[in-house]
Amino acid sequence: MDDLLNPVSTVTIRKKPDADPTISNQVGREREQNVLRVASPEDALKILKAGPTSGELFIVLDYLKISQRRQDGFTIYVPEPKATQIVHVLVNDITPSYWPTINERTTKKFRQTTPNALKTSLVECLRSLLGIGSLIARLKLLITGPLKDGTKKQAVNETLDVLQEVLSMYTLADDLQIGSLLYAQEQTKRTVYWKEVVNLRASGRIVATAAQAEDVIKDSRHAPSARWIANGSQYATSLGEQLGNALLIVIRDPKSWEAAGANRLLAQFTGKSLNMGYPNDFLRELLRSICVSKVRGSEEMKWLVRNLRTHEQFQFVDTMLPVLTERQANDSVPVKDVSGAAGFLVAFIGLNESIYDHIVARLVQEGPKIYDDSIYALRVMLAVISTDDERMQQVLEKSMRRFWDKLYIKHSPQLAQENLAQVLLLSAGHMHRKQPMFLFTMARSSIHNAGVSNRLAATSSRARFLGMIVGTAISDLVDKAGAKLKFDVDELKTDEAKWYQDLVLIEDGVGGSLEVSEFLERKWLKTVMPAATTDLALRSLPKAAQQVDRSQAVTDVSRTAIAKVGPSKIQVLGDDEEDEDLIPYAKPDSDPEDDDEDPTLVNRNRPTAPVYIRDLIASLRDTENHDRHVLALRTGPSLIRRKANFGKEVSDHGVELANLFAGLSDHYELDDFAKLRLQSLVAILVAQPKDMGRWFAKAFFEGDYSISQRGAILSALGLSAREMAGLENGDDLTGPAKEMSEAFPSKRLPDKFHQLYADHDDPVTRESKKLERGMMEPLALKAADKLSGPNALKVRTFSSRMDVEKKRKKPVSNQLGMIVADGFFFPLTGRFQMTLQAHGRKSIQSSPHLLPLYLRTLTLILHAAGPSCSSLPSMTSELFDLLLGLRGHAVQDENVLEALLFALLTALDLNAGEDSATDGGRRLCTEMGREMLEMQGWVEGVFERLNEKGAIGLPKVGSGKEQREGDRLTTLAAAVLTRISEIVGKFQRLLIGDMVAL
């Protein structure tokens, strides 16, 4: 019988007084005399080890939390042997015993009567490097072993609570005082202490441990809402705020702190924090703290950058630029904002020549990494170096050489070429005002004259457009009226061309202290804080207070919306003015909500569907309220589509909505969460396709999102492009699951077999397979027709005119063609090539998890544009360059290979199909002949390897003739070879040359 009884859980209770009988007897005698004296750290340690009562613990903590050193030189905040023992006992013995039961009753009979006074005293004693390190060590020990019982999970949860409370009170200024003042005469101790501070607080160890602990207990009943110490973005924001406060302390007395070595210590902390993974959040909060403190552009701020290492200085400037320019539109930037931002940046740089050289290299795109800077950031960088004529000459000359280079024109992303064109025009306008003779010399050089010809001979229409814009703009500056370069084309008459030509007229400079102050006030003091900062500000509030604040905010928004409505006539009816002709409805016999026997379970406070976009945003952020949050998820897509063309709600809050839905997590494990999020993302993209398409492309590469969230962004881009082109995306993005759920019951398999045989592909993969079948079927039918015999023996059937009209597809308006290149395709391809150049295969975008989905998304966008799109040649050329660069990735993963072959087959089908808009592939042979032949040779090698006739490093897909013939990769490779062979055979003389025929 004993074998049948298994213990549910085991709890070990440690008897603390048995550790040392002498200590226990001494403390017991003091308790009997009602006199408890703590005169030394040894006394405090004895009492803590003996298991004190709540009152005794309060007296000990009151003794320990005094920050000043006593006569014996002891303080609990300095890492010394005595302090280490006391902190160890506090973390491992006292905190697990007292933290769950601390309340106001325990301290009423003592001096402190405020709520949670004992808890505050305990947190203050752990507010040190020793306390944080001990809590992290305990947390790692708890999550290392198995967590089967609830007691251990509860211990993990309580340790996380203590750690968050301690970090909320633990500031960087405390460590700075210990490191620079206490160890002022002991260089070795100061170095060791500060190194431990930097490695613990600025390296991400706290965030990683807390996130791992939350992941362990997330499925238990002890798991609360997400803590800010487990969120990398919010933790980096907290570090930036603490560094800003520490800097303000140093600035008030710079000479004393510099003599104590505080400058170097804070510079080490800054460099480590920039490499933690969230540099923008960290630096944004640092700059905001400086702005709020009224220390704007101070001369004392230069030492922060000066004490950084060289590569950290470059990283600081590279991060500071997008932070200063992140809230401005690309097409309208006030001159005062540019001068203010430039003046604030110069206040940090000072006379650092290496940073100025780095800015020049960034402007002309030298180095392995290419930056995607906005026109605002480009103007700020040029304004910073505008007073240095030598560096401005370097910018103009180097940018001109690179912009007109043949290899750069052919292989650089379109985004990089657009940025370089903007730099060239801005620098040309500046040199025309300061040194017109230098610009005249460069315009008459062979570099410029041959470069214009190179641009006009480019295969990409976008490259030709940029060449004509730059050529005409420079000619207008240096040539006379009769000798100016002109192109009589429609592209140069557009608003975009006019915007490019006006760049030479912009004149920016470095602003003074007044302009810097006004810029900082406009940027941080008079603007609404972002969502991440708002969540961080609410992290210390109780849950009830957060809910009250959120509901109050929603109420205020609703009242504001009602107040904005125009005047209306209201008629007040009394109770006695009832209309006798109106027959009232009968009251229902029963309410479905009252069916539950327990009246306490009836929910009378049911949420209503959001009516305004601000209500939707507030409901999505309210993750504590299940009904409200889920209702916002389900009604969000329809609300966004209704508001898209009604008012400016969606346009004003588009970025906020997109950021919220893209970073949304499945808090309640909904079955259709992925579908609902995808529907909302598609609705946002369809409402504002061009602007939000660029934003989503940037978010995919630079945003702080998980793999599944990045996949949702790619799916939204591909499916929204198809919707704008008039194509169908299945059944409301749900796929065959909805068809089966609404079908007759006899047509549906049992649930167990339905889950086994149902198609669980994501929408992009599902639509890709449909396109693949549509392109493969004509090739298969054509091959079967050739094998069936000569054409003379075949009977041709004729269909009636009515049958032909029925099968003919009705034309649909393709709204995608005008914006697909600049809004969807080029941002995705350009940023991918920039990421690949900067990080190689280490980037998450080039991993086997996202790369196949990325290629399929590009293919869907290209197919949705259609063969009649004017940007199809440019997009095809960009896609071929991308696919040729990904051949190394394809030979290592079958999914990448399949996606690459599918993209290649789609591009060939669009450019060489039977449609009247195409030329049968003639342009591919004339403009991309080398790429076609190179791709043909590589696909032949893939096909031979798949048939086990060659070896290019691919893994074997199987053995047996039947399996090889039915393999999808082999079929795709054969289809690509067939299509290329048709094009090459038709235009062979163009590829080889007319001399071969002679």
Side-chain angles (χ1 to χ4, degrees):
M1 287 296 293
D2 295 340
D3 297 337
L4 300 177
L5 300 177
N6 296 324
V8 177
S9 63
T10 303
V11 180
T12 302
I13 301 177
R14 179 169 48 189
K15 296 182 179 180
K16 302 174 186 177
D18 297 340
D20 193 345
T22 59
I23 296 176
S24 178
N25 295 333
Q26 179 182 356
V27 174
R29 289 194 298 268
E30 292 179 353
R31 286 174 180 172
E32 293 177 357
Q33 299 174 2
N34 293 327
V35 177
L36 185 65
R37 293 175 298 177
V38 183
S40 65
E42 289 80 6
D43 296 341
L45 183 60
K46 290 178 182 179
I47 297 173
L48 291 176
K49 287 184 177 181
T53 62
S54 300
E56 296 167 349
L57 177 62
F58 187 81
I59 295 176
V60 173
L61 295 179
D62 194 30
Y63 166 81
L64 293 175
K65 69 181 183 180
I66 300 176
S67 59
Q68 290 81 9
R69 277 181 175 261
R70 301 176 179 83
Q71 295 180 356
D72 56 358
F74 171 77
T75 176
I76 198 173
Y77 302 110
V78 178
E80 294 178 349
K82 295 179 182 178
T84 303
Q85 296 178 23
I86 295 176
V87 170
H88 178 78
V89 175
L90 287 175
V91 171
N92 294 280
D93 296 337
I94 302 300
T95 301
S97 302
Y98 284 91
W99 187 263
T101 58
I102 291 177
N103 51 40
E104 185 179 357
R105 293 195 307 271
T106 59
T107 59
K108 279 187 175 179
K109 54 186 178 181
F110 296 99
R111 291 175 296 173
Q112 299 289 342
T113 58
T114 56
N116 297 328
L118 185 59
K119 179 188 292 186
T120 304
S121 300
L122 179 59
V123 170
E124 287 185 359
C125 291
L126 298 178
R127 183 175 53 90
S128 63
L129 184 64
L130 286 175
I132 299 296
S134 299
L135 288 171
I136 292 295
R138 172 174 171 79
L139 199 58
K140 287 183 177 180
L141 182 63
L142 288 173
I143 63 179
T144 301
L147 298 176
K148 295 182 180 180
D149 57 330
T151 305
K152 203 168 185 181
K153 289 186 178 181
Q154 184 178 1
V156 173
N157 185 47
E158 292 172 357
T159 307
L160 283 173
D161 289 338
V162 178
L163 181 61
Q164 180 163 285
E165 291 289 340
V166 172
L167 286 174
S168 299
M169 299 180 62
Y170 182 37
T171 62
L172 185 63
D174 300 334
D175 288 328
L176 185 64
Q177 291 179 356
I178 296 175
S180 58
L181 300 181
L182 192 61
Y183 292 140
Q185 305 300 327
E186 300 174 281
Q187 179 67 27
T188 304
K189 289 186 177 181
R190 179 173 60 182
T191 302
V192 174
Y193 175 80
W194 194 256
K195 183 178 180 180
E196 185 62 27
V197 170
V198 172
N199 291 335
L200 180 63
R201 303 196 63 184
S203 63
R205 287 169 54 187
I206 296 177
V207 177
T209 306
Q212 184 180 0
E214 279 204 340
D215 186 64
V216 168
I217 65 172
K218 66 179 181 181
D219 297 330
S220 66
R221 61 184 179 88
H222 304 287
S225 58
R227 299 174 175 85
W228 66 269
I229 58 173
N231 187 296
S233 176
Q234 295 182 5
Y235 183 80
T237 303
S238 176
L239 286 185
E241 181 182 2
Q242 294 186 24
L243 178 61
N245 297 332
L247 285 174
L248 298 179
I249 296 175
V250 175
I251 289 175
R252 294 190 183 100
D253 190 9
K255 294 183 179 179
S256 301
W257 285 100
E258 186 176 2
N263 298 354
R264 293 189 299 273
L265 300 182
L266 291 181
Q268 293 175 11
F269 188 87
T270 304
K272 192 70 173 181
S273 300
L274 287 173
N275 294 316
M276 194 178 66
Y278 304 89
N280 288 15
D281 299 312
F282 167 76
L283 200 56
R284 184 187 297 111
E285 189 62 24
L286 170 62
L287 299 180
R288 191 194 66 82
S289 301
I290 296 173
C291 167
V292 173
S293 64
K294 308 296 184 181
V295 183
R296 303 167 184 178
S298 174
E299 293 293 329
E300 289 81 1
M301 299 303 299
K302 297 178 182 179
W303 59 262
L304 178 64
V305 180
R306 185 173 60 249
N307 286 281
L308 293 173
R309 289 178 289 185
T310 303
H311 71 278
E312 292 174 348
Q313 294 176 358
F314 297 162
Q315 187 179 5
F316 186 92
V317 174
D318 292 340
T319 308
M320 189 175 179
L321 275 169
V323 168
L324 291 177
T325 61
E326 63 186 351
R327 293 185 180 179
Q328 294 290 338
N330 290 343
D331 53 352
S332 58
V333 181
V335 177
K336 55 185 180 181
D337 285 351
V338 176
S339 59
F344 188 61
L345 184 59
V346 169
F348 277 88
I349 297 176
L351 301 176
N352 197 323
E353 297 295 331
S354 60
I355 295 182
Y356 288 108
D357 293 338
H358 173 71
I359 292 177
V360 172
R362 176 168 177 165
L363 284 169
V364 300
Q365 299 180 6
E366 289 183 346
K369 185 177 181 180
I370 300 177
Y371 299 90
D372 179 31
D373 294 319
S374 62
I375 185 63
Y376 188 8
L378 295 178
R379 289 176 58 181
V380 169
M381 285 188 286
L382 286 171
V384 168
I385 62 173
S386 59
T387 57
D388 192 338
D389 294 338
E390 183 178 356
R391 285 192 171 90
M392 287 300 300
Q393 291 179 5
Q394 293 179 6
V395 170
L396 179 62
E397 183 177 359
K398 291 182 179 180
S399 60
M400 185 174 290
R401 287 180 181 275
R402 185 174 293 270
F403 183 77
W404 299 125
D405 185 66
K406 280 186 177 181
L407 294 177
Y408 181 82
I409 296 171
K410 188 173 184 180
H411 298 291
S412 295
Q414 293 293 335
L415 288 177
Q417 298 189 32
E418 291 175 0
N419 284 355
L420 192 59
Q422 295 167 10
V423 172
L424 182 54
L425 292 175
L426 289 171
S427 59
H430 176 85
M431 295 306 297
H432 176 67
R433 291 184 293 270
K434 295 297 181 64
Q435 296 181 359
M437 194 60 194
F438 181 80
L439 178 62
F440 180 83
T441 304
M442 293 299 301
R444 291 292 184 267
S445 63
S446 59
I447 300 174
H448 178 74
N449 295 329
V452 175
S453 301
N454 295 338
R455 282 279 171 179
L456 296 178
T459 59
S460 174
S461 60
R462 188 67 179 175
R464 295 194 297 267
F465 169 76
L466 294 176
M468 289 186 290
I469 286 291
V470 175
T472 54
I474 294 179
S475 179
D476 290 340
L477 293 176
V478 300
D479 293 334
K480 297 181 180 179
K484 292 183 179 181
L485 182 64
K486 293 183 179 181
F487 296 97
D488 191 11
V489 292
D490 295 335
E491 289 84 352
L492 298 185
K493 301 177 183 178
T494 60
D495 295 337
E496 184 183 10
K498 182 67 168 57
W499 179 81
Y500 270 98
Q501 292 172 352
D502 291 342
L503 291 180
V504 297
L505 306 177
I506 295 177
E507 185 175 1
D508 297 316
V510 179
S513 59
L514 179 60
E515 292 179 329
V516 171
S517 300
E518 293 177 351
F519 163 74
L520 295 177
E521 288 181 0
R522 288 192 301 270
K523 183 170 181 61
W524 275 297
L525 298 184
K526 295 183 180 180
T527 54
V528 181
M529 295 303 296
T533 307
T534 303
D535 294 339
L536 181 62
L538 291 174
R539 67 172 184 253
S540 58
L541 297 177
K543 293 183 179 179
Q546 293 184 20
Q547 293 177 0
V548 170
D549 290 346
R550 290 179 178 129
S551 61
Q552 184 65 30
V554 175
T555 305
D556 294 341
V557 172
S558 302
R559 291 175 180 173
T560 304
I562 295 173
K564 292 182 179 179
V565 179
S568 59
K569 298 180 180 180
I570 301 176
Q571 183 179 4
V572 181
L573 300 177
D575 296 337
D576 55 346
E577 298 181 3
E578 297 181 357
D579 197 340
E580 298 179 357
D581 297 335
L582 296 178
I583 301 175
Y585 287 103
K587 295 182 179 180
D589 297 335
S590 62
D591 192 349
E593 297 291 338
D594 297 333
D595 292 342
D596 202 307
E597 296 179 358
D598 188 356
T600 61
L601 299 178
V602 178
N603 183 16
R604 296 293 185 183
N605 189 18
R606 289 177 296 176
T608 57
V611 181
Y612 302 102
I613 296 297
R614 291 300 304 174
D615 295 344
L616 176 64
I617 294 174
S619 300
L620 290 173
R621 288 177 178 167
D622 189 8
T623 57
E624 302 292 335
N625 192 335
H626 171 271
D627 296 338
R628 185 185 181 193
H629 184 74
V630 173
L631 184 61
L633 272 175
R634 299 192 182 281
T635 59
S638 59
L639 178 62
I640 295 172
R641 290 184 182 272
R642 288 199 312 268
K643 296 287 186 177
N645 298 321
F646 182 78
K648 298 177 61 179
E649 286 187 83
V650 177
S651 59
D652 291 342
H653 305 287
V655 174
E656 189 175 3
L657 268 177
N659 194 12
L660 192 58
F661 275 109
L664 204 59
S665 301
D666 189 6
H667 297 281
Y668 299 104
E669 298 182 356
L670 302 177
D671 294 335
D672 55 349
F673 171 77
K675 181 196 72 173
L676 294 174
R677 180 177 62 180
L678 184 58
Q679 287 178 343
S680 300
L681 294 176
V682 171
I684 296 171
L685 273 165
V686 173
Q688 292 180 289
K690 189 172 183 179
D691 296 335
M692 296 311 302
R694 294 175 177 174
W695 186 92
F696 273 105
K698 184 176 182 179
F700 173 72
F701 290 98
E702 300 180 4
D704 181 22
Y705 300 111
S706 62
I707 292 180
S708 61
Q709 291 169 347
R710 294 178 195 271
I713 291 175
L714 287 178
S715 301
L717 286 168
L719 296 176
S720 60
R722 287 179 56 83
E723 181 176 340
M724 293 182 61
L727 303 176
E728 297 182 357
N729 288 325
D731 291 289
D732 198 20
L733 310 180
T734 57
K738 183 179 179 181
E739 297 178 3
M740 298 302 299
S741 62
E742 296 180 354
F744 195 74
S746 62
K747 295 183 179 181
R748 180 183 174 91
L749 292 172
D751 292 337
K752 183 174 70 172
F753 295 102
H754 177 74
Q755 296 295 330
L756 181 61
Y757 293 104
D759 187 7
H760 299 289
D761 289 335
D762 59 279
V764 172
T765 305
R766 186 176 65 247
E767 298 301 327
S768 300
K769 290 181 178 180
K770 291 181 181 179
L771 288 180
E772 183 181 327
R773 288 194 299 267
M775 291 183 293
M776 300 281 289
E777 286 178 359
L779 294 176
L781 292 175
K782 188 175 181 180
D785 184 66
K786 289 183 178 180
L787 296 175
S788 62
N791 294 333
L793 300 179
K794 298 175 184 177
V795 179
R796 183 179 180 184
T797 59
F798 295 90
S799 302
S800 63
R801 186 173 181 180
M802 299 296 295
D803 295 337
V804 174
E805 291 296 333
K806 289 180 181 180
K807 295 180 180 179
R808 181 176 298 173
K809 295 182 180 180
K810 295 182 180 180
V812 293
S813 59
N814 191 342
Q815 303 176 1
L816 184 69
M818 300 294 294
I819 61 172
V820 63
D822 298 334
F824 286 78
F825 196 85
F826 288 148
L828 283 174
T829 56
R831 290 182 183 276
F832 184 83
Q833 294 184 16
M834 293 178 184
T835 304
L836 206 62
Q837 291 179 7
H839 305 289
R841 298 187 180 183
K842 297 180 180 180
S843 63
I844 187 64
Q845 289 80 12
S846 59
S847 64
H849 305 285
L850 286 177
L851 188 54
L853 183 60
Y854 169 77
L855 292 176
R856 291 184 183 277
T857 301
L858 285 179
T859 308
L860 289 183
I861 295 174
L862 186 68
H863 178 267
S868 302
C869 181
S870 58
S871 303
L872 181 62
S874 301
M875 292 189 294
T876 304
S877 176
E878 189 94 355
L879 182 63
F880 261 80
D881 291 341
L882 181 65
L883 296 181
L884 287 172
L886 292 177
R887 288 175 293 178
H889 295 73
V891 298
Q892 297 180 358
D893 189 84
E894 294 183 6
N895 294 325
V896 178
L897 176 61
E898 181 182 355
L900 189 149
L901 292 175
F902 169 67
L904 184 57
L905 180 61
T906 305
L908 294 173
D909 189 74
L910 285 174
N911 289 271
E914 302 298 333
D915 195 279
S916 58
T918 60
D919 54 4
R922 182 182 181 89
R923 188 190 55 81
L924 291 178
C925 295
T926 55
E927 298 179 359
M928 303 172 56
R930 291 184 179 180
E931 290 82 354
M932 286 281 294
L933 295 178
E934 186 176 357
M935 188 64 77
Q936 182 184 18
W938 181 76
V939 177
E940 287 178 353
V942 171
F943 185 76
E944 292 176 359
R945 177 64 185 91
L946 292 174
N947 286 278
E948 298 180 352
K949 293 181 180 179
I952 61 171
L954 280 171
K956 294 184 179 180
V957 293
S959 59
K961 183 177 181 181
E962 293 80 10
Q963 186 174 358
R964 289 199 305 270
E965 290 178 353
D967 189 81
R968 177 174 297 173
L969 290 176
T970 308
T971 307
L972 267 176
V976 172
L977 283 178
T978 303
R979 181 63 75 179
I980 293 180
S981 300
E982 292 177 357
I983 300 172
V984 171
K986 189 185 299 183
F987 302 101
Q988 188 173 5
R989 292 186 61 182
L990 292 175
L991 289 171
I992 301 178
D994 294 336
M995 294 298 297
V996 177
L998 297 177

